[in-house]
Amino acid sequence: MTPMIDVVFLLLVFFIWTASFQIPEQSLSSSIAAPPVGQGAAVETPLAAEDDFDQVVVRVLADGDAVRWRVNDQPVDNRRQLRSRLAAIAAVRRTAPVVLHPDSDVPLGAVIATYDVARLAGFASIQFATPAEAP
Amino acid sequence: MSGILRLSVVAALAVGIAGFLPRAAFAHAEDWDDRFVEALRERRLWEYADRVCRERFDRAKEAREAAHWTVEGMRTDAARALEAPAERQTALWKKVEAWADRFQKRFPDSPWALQVALQSVLAKLAQGEAKRLESELTRGDDRVRLQREALAILRKTERRLRELTRRMERGEFQGGDQDTSMPPEIMQNIENQLVLAGARVYWNRALCYAPGTDDRLAALEAARSDFQRLVRQTRPQDRIQVEALLGLARCQRVLGDFAEAEKTLRSLERLPDVPARWKLEADAERLLLAHEQHRSRLPVEPRVGRAIDGVHSPVWDLAALQVLLDRLALGKGDQAAKLQEEIDRAIATIEVVHGPYWGRRATQLMVEQTSGVASIASARLLERSAREKLGGGAWQEAVTLLRQASEAASRSGRNEEAFRLAYQAALVQQQHGAWEEAAEALRSLALRWRRDTRAAQAHLLAIWSLGKARGDELARDPTYLSWLDDQIHLWPDAEATHRARLWMAKWLRAKAKYREALRVLGAVAPSSSAAADADRELFLVWLSLCQKAGDSPASKDLLKELESFYREHFTAANDDEATVCSFRITYYQMRMLLEGKPRDETMEKLRQWAETPSDRAACSARSRFVLAVWGEREVSRLEEADWKELPPMQWHWLGILWQQRLRELEERRRLGASVAALFERGLQEWGDRIDPRERLYWLQVRADALAVSGERAAARRLLEDLVKKHPSDIGVRQSWARFLAHGEGETEWREAEAAWRYLALRLKPGSAPWYEAKYGVARALFLQGKKEDCRQRLQYLKATRGFGPPPWEQRLRDLARQCGVQ
């Protein structure tokens, strides 16, 4: 009798433990975005005022052994100028999204240095551009 | 076996179409009219034949004559229905029925209604036979469906036959006086016809069932018994006996009584005065019988196009074709090529001798019989099969067959034919929207036969197809440019290549490579069909060049360069009025655009052309339009003929010119009203004939002009409608936003804010239109009293990109000052 009770208790403990570790299924999102109706449906969605603040795109370009930068398509000669430029933008809007877009042949060190400059300027959100898909 | 059976039915069908009533029955009818209608039918002038029958029917006073023309009308429409495409057949069979109804309505109690009723039943029988024949030339579900339809029609025919027989037995069609009653010999003949029709119904039904089934055997036995009864009942000189013997021989053959069938055919031979047509049909039956028993020993050579006493028979020709096809299926490789050529000739002969209906039947037979024969190497046979497949909607199979045909022709050294077939295959792909495949096919054939005179055209089509395949992605596709380059290098002098140069120039212009575009356009021959379009493109390239130069010092040099180009081109161009005039005006329009405030010389020139009736009327008219949008001339002073002279392309430039003029004019309302009226009339004149994109531009210009003239309500209605219909069009959105920006109420400023924001997110950052949109958002916020929001945006813009190029730099700076931006 005793061994049987032991076994039953063991099974009970096992099931309690396994049940407690299950991830509740309802935590997974099940809503599906409704498809746009008609050609103009997406267009007519009201735009947020936040959309007025464009992202700051910092291109990092390899120029032989040196590195050059372009902030929103405007050339920046050196790292000091880059820092002051970014600091000026951050002073206006620190929450503006910054996108770092390095060329494939830019050394990793230069990219990290640029990231640090952006961080030091005070930007909160810094992302990396994804490479364009091959045609 | 099935093919042979099929052919026998064709024989029966032919009999059905020909009609049964003896000519003697209509001895009273006008021979001339009869011959005329027959000739019309032979030439397939169905509408005329039908009209003649109708007219004669309406004119007939006696039932006998009306019955004659009713029967002729039914024969005409039945023959037409058999030749018509499937979708039109039902309507034509209904027309056949309508003839009988018409007679019945006019002569309800006439005994001659019997003849009409008989013809009506025979027409129904022919319809059933046609449906069954169609079923035998198809496969799968279609075949089952068609067989079911054929059986339904045949059952209906049988019911009508029984009904008619019962009415005859009841004596319904007897009576009338000597003139109106039906002679006994005709009554007898009709009785025999009813039996014959009954036998044919059984025969057709039998062939709708699968071989070896009880239903089929029972129906065949019934048909045989009816045919035998007829042979016994009729006299040797009766034509009907020939048909009965032929039907009997067919039944015997299908039932496997070959000896009996031969005996029947021998007794047919002994009949006196058998017409040539029946002799040929008997020969066809004999041929099939011998072929089925022992394939090699045939009583007569299966030569398609054989005639007896100058008479041809489609039944014989199709039987001969059937034998040839069987030989091909069984034949050895060394005979195959010869046999294929023979089959091709046979089908061509059938098409010529018996017309398209029998030609199509012959082709269908060939396709059905050769579908499993892999060794078909005759380009013509393959082409025929492809056409047949295409007619049936199987375009992919048709393309494969056409390509095979092309390869076959190429192997035989017939390169021209090979090119034509491959070209056709690609065109079929194009027609069905397989752009990518069509482009590849056309390019490869053009490169393979590059010396062919049509190669350049084919390659151009390949480029066009590639454009269709790529759609919006074309601008990014380097293949397009490389193909255009190939075209120019491989066929530099071909007419088609001039069009390719034009396309290349358009592509280069889109990529802002204006100088290269000019170089390419310079090589377009003035005599080519692309010259007019090239001239228009030249203007647009120059326009783009000038716009790019803007107010920079380089624009003065550019104008000089343009002037020399204009003079050189002007003298070199041919003396075509439209071209020369187009150049004159466009040149001066461009000068006006570049000069901003045009020099006196420019204006003087235009005034001179506008006022002086010159030998070039178009030039004068266009000058008047240019002056009208410049505000120098009232729209009401334009002459009625002027509206016809201005081509749609010039209208576009009038719109551009007007926008230029607006920038410098202080009093704008009057000009706005003029331009709105001008474009309203232009839309009336050309609106439905121009490209939708161009039409949209015109509407936009009109809306802008209405707004400038103070007609804000009308402008708003028009613009709202345009935005609703073209929500993704940036030009329309810009017009809408500019309109709102000039609004006077808070609602419109709020709308303007949203409209500019929409644009700012979609335009290229840093471009002039983008700065305009940014300015628009900030200004709309300022006007709504949201100074702080405005200040934040301007400050951010200044920090991230600066205030951009003039005139936005100044405007943004002014606004920033008002908002308190440091």
Side-chain angles (χ1 to χ4, degrees), chain B residues 244-263:
Chain B
L245 283 167
L246 262 173
L248 181 59
R250 283 178 190 135
C251 280
Q252 287 164 337
R253 174 170 56 79
V254 174
L255 283 164
D257 295 341
F258 297 140
E260 286 296 313
E262 274 180 23
K263 215 166 112 187

Side-chain angles (χ1 to χ4, degrees), chain B residues 46-57 76 99:
Chain B
W46 307 116
E47 278 297 332
Y48 287 124
D50 188 69
R51 216 177 297 162
V52 172
C53 294
R54 187 67 197 264
E55 196 267 336
R56 295 290 184 269
F57 172 83
T76 304
W99 274 104

Side-chain angles (χ1 to χ4, degrees), chain A residues 2-20:
Chain A
T2 312
M4 203 176 95
I5 291 169
D6 287 349
V7 168
V8 167
F9 267 100
L10 275 172
L11 281 172
L12 193 62
V13 168
F14 171 76
F15 281 121
I16 288 167
W17 272 95
T18 51
S20 65

Side-chain angles (χ1 to χ4, degrees), chain A residues 97-116:
Chain A
V98 176
V99 179
L100 293 189
H101 190 173
D103 268 4
S104 56
D105 46 357
V106 171
L108 185 63
V111 178
I112 292 169
T114 311
Y115 180 83
D116 288 344

Side-chain angles (χ1 to χ4, degrees), chain A residues 57-64 66-70 73 99-112 114 127-132:
Chain A
V57 180
V58 182
R59 292 293 314 267
V60 190
L61 309 159
D63 187 8
V67 175
R68 289 184 298 108
W69 295 269
R70 286 181 82 87
D73 292 330
V99 179
L100 293 189
H101 190 173
D103 268 4
S104 56
D105 46 357
V106 171
L108 185 63
V111 178
I112 292 169
T114 311
Q127 296 143 18
F128 282 88
T130 51

Side-chain angles (χ1 to χ4, degrees), chain A residues 39-40 42-44 47-57 71-74 85 88-89 92-93 96-97 135, chain B residues 723 725 727-728 733 753-754 757-758 760-762 765 770-771 774 777 781 792-793 795-802:
Chain A
Q39 205 184 352
V43 163
E44 297 311 327
L47 299 167
E50 274 301 301
D51 292 329
D52 291 341
F53 301 97
D54 319 288
Q55 55 194 15
V56 181
V57 180
V71 177
N72 282 346
D73 292 330
Q74 289 167 338
R85 186 77 200 282
I89 299 172
V92 178
R93 198 171 184 82
Chain B
V723 173
K725 285 181 182 157
S728 310
R733 288 281 185 172
E753 182 195 332
R757 185 170 288 133
Y758 172 91
L761 279 172
R762 278 157 184 83
W770 182 81
Y771 273 107
K774 284 285 179 194
V777 172
L781 286 167
Q792 278 181 14
R793 277 152 185 80
Q795 218 166 13
Y796 187 73
L797 181 66
K798 191 181 174 189
T800 50
R801 287 186 186 271

Side-chain angles (χ1 to χ4, degrees), chain B residues 360-372:
Chain B
R360 172 107 205 277
R361 286 280 174 221
T363 309
Q364 280 180 330
L365 190 65
M366 183 272 289
V367 172
E368 217 256 344
Q369 297 278 298
T370 56
S371 58

